[in-house]
């Protein structure tokens, strides 16, 4: 009886947002241990981001790398030094990703179906396709997590007209563009979304 009750409680927990976060944490920490143990958390491009940081701190610019990620890993490395900087960078990326899982769930809940929200978040945060990129020193992890934050604050700003969320949406947009220039396409997307929000607000008056 106790075993059955425990299974029921576990099943109920795993069916909640906290359960999703717990499962996501297990998957991403397993990926962290795997990549760190095998040394596959560093790719050939990783060194170019460190070089870009050295160029920035030396008063030069790197035309091939935008500054956000070089500054992110460079500042951590300047504080902790090698080899602790690597694990600190990876753990911080893991923490940011887990926070993004929470915000992804909040976005998915806008669909007004708890079941759909649950399974969409499960796909994002638990199935290893996305989490496996988190413990790698490349821009992919922050790009994925940052996209979730941007989307959340943009949708919230459009729905509520909240000035603070509008500024947070703009901040995340700028960070994403300076993280990976390909995100520049989000500028017209943001303009279009806010125009729709203003149009809906004017019609409701």
């Amino acid at each position: 009886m106790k075993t059955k009750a425990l299974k029921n409680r576990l099943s109920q927990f795993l069916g909640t947002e906290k359960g999703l976060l717990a499962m996501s944490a297990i998957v991403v920490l397993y990926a962290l241990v795997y990549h760190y143990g095998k040394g596959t958390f560093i790719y050939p491009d990783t060194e170019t981001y460190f070089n870009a940081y050295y160029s920035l701190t030396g008063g030069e610019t790197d035309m091939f790398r935008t500054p956000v990620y070089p500054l992110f890993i460079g500042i951590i490395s300047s504080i902790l030094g090698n080899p602790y900087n690597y694990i600190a960078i990876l753990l911080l990326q893991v923490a940011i990703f887990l926070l993004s899982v929470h915000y992804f769930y909040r976005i998915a809940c806008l669909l007004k179906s708890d079941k759909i929200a649950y399974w969409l978040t499960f796909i994002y945060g638990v199935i290893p396709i996305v989490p496996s990129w988190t413990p790698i020193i490349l821009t992919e992890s922050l790009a994925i997590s940052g996209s979730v934050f941007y989307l959340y604050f943009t949708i919230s700003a459009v729905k509520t007209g909240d000035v603070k969320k509008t500024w947070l949406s703009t901040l995340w947009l700028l960070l994403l563009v300076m993280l990976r220039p390909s995100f520049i396409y989000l500028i017209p997307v943001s303009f279009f979304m806010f125009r729709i929000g203003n149009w809906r607000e004017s019609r409701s008056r």
Side-chain angles (χ1 to χ4, degrees), residues 157-172:
V158 170
K159 283 175 65 69
T160 64
D162 189 299
V163 175
K164 182 180 178 181
K165 288 180 178 177
T166 301
W167 280 110
L168 286 170
S169 168
T170 304
L171 175 63
W172 278 108

Side-chain angles (χ1 to χ4, degrees), residues 4-194:
K4 187 176 181 180
L6 183 62
K7 285 183 178 179
N8 288 336
R9 289 179 64 183
L10 180 61
S11 178
Q12 290 175 359
F13 173 73
L14 294 178
T16 65
E17 181 190 357
K18 289 182 179 179
L20 283 168
L21 285 169
M23 289 187 287
S24 183
I26 291 170
V27 172
V28 75
L29 288 173
Y30 174 81
L32 171 62
V33 172
Y34 175 84
H35 283 295
Y36 195 80
K38 288 199 171 267
T40 53
F41 61 95
I42 294 178
Y43 274 51
D45 281 353
T46 301
E47 190 64 29
T48 65
Y49 291 103
F50 284 104
N51 292 336
Y53 172 74
Y54 300 140
S55 296
L56 287 170
T57 54
E60 301 176 2
T61 57
D62 189 325
M63 63 181 295
F64 298 106
R65 296 297 178 200
T66 44
V68 168
Y69 200 67
L71 288 172
F72 173 75
I73 63 175
I75 291 171
I76 294 173
S77 298
S78 66
I79 295 171
L80 295 177
N82 191 24
Y84 305 106
N85 58 328
Y86 293 131
I87 189 66
I89 291 167
L90 297 177
L91 285 173
L92 191 52
Q93 288 185 177
V94 165
I96 293 170
F97 172 73
L98 291 175
L99 183 61
S100 79
V101 173
H102 166 69
Y103 279 94
F104 188 95
Y105 182 78
R106 294 178 70 173
I107 294 171
C109 284
L110 295 174
L111 298 173
K112 307 299 183 183
S113 170
D114 291 342
K115 187 173 289 187
I116 292 175
Y118 177 89
W119 286 110
L120 285 176
T121 308
F122 184 90
I123 292 170
Y124 171 75
V126 181
I127 292 179
I129 296 172
V130 176
S132 62
W133 280 103
T134 301
I136 295 174
I137 302 180
L138 290 174
T139 59
E140 276 74 6
S141 177
L142 293 189
I144 293 168
S145 299
S147 297
V148 173
F149 299 139
Y150 160 76
L151 189 59
Y152 171 78
F153 287 115
T154 301
I155 293 173
S156 297
V158 170
K159 283 175 65 69
T160 64
D162 189 299
V163 175
K164 182 180 178 181
K165 288 180 178 177
T166 301
W167 280 110
L168 286 170
S169 168
T170 304
L171 175 63
W172 278 108
L173 174 60
L174 292 175
L175 286 173
L176 285 172
V177 171
M178 297 307 290
L179 177 69
R180 302 187 73 165
S182 57
F183 279 115
I184 199 168
Y185 76 89
L186 290 176
I187 294 176
V189 170
S190 291
F191 177 79
F192 182 68
M193 289 180 70
F194 280 109

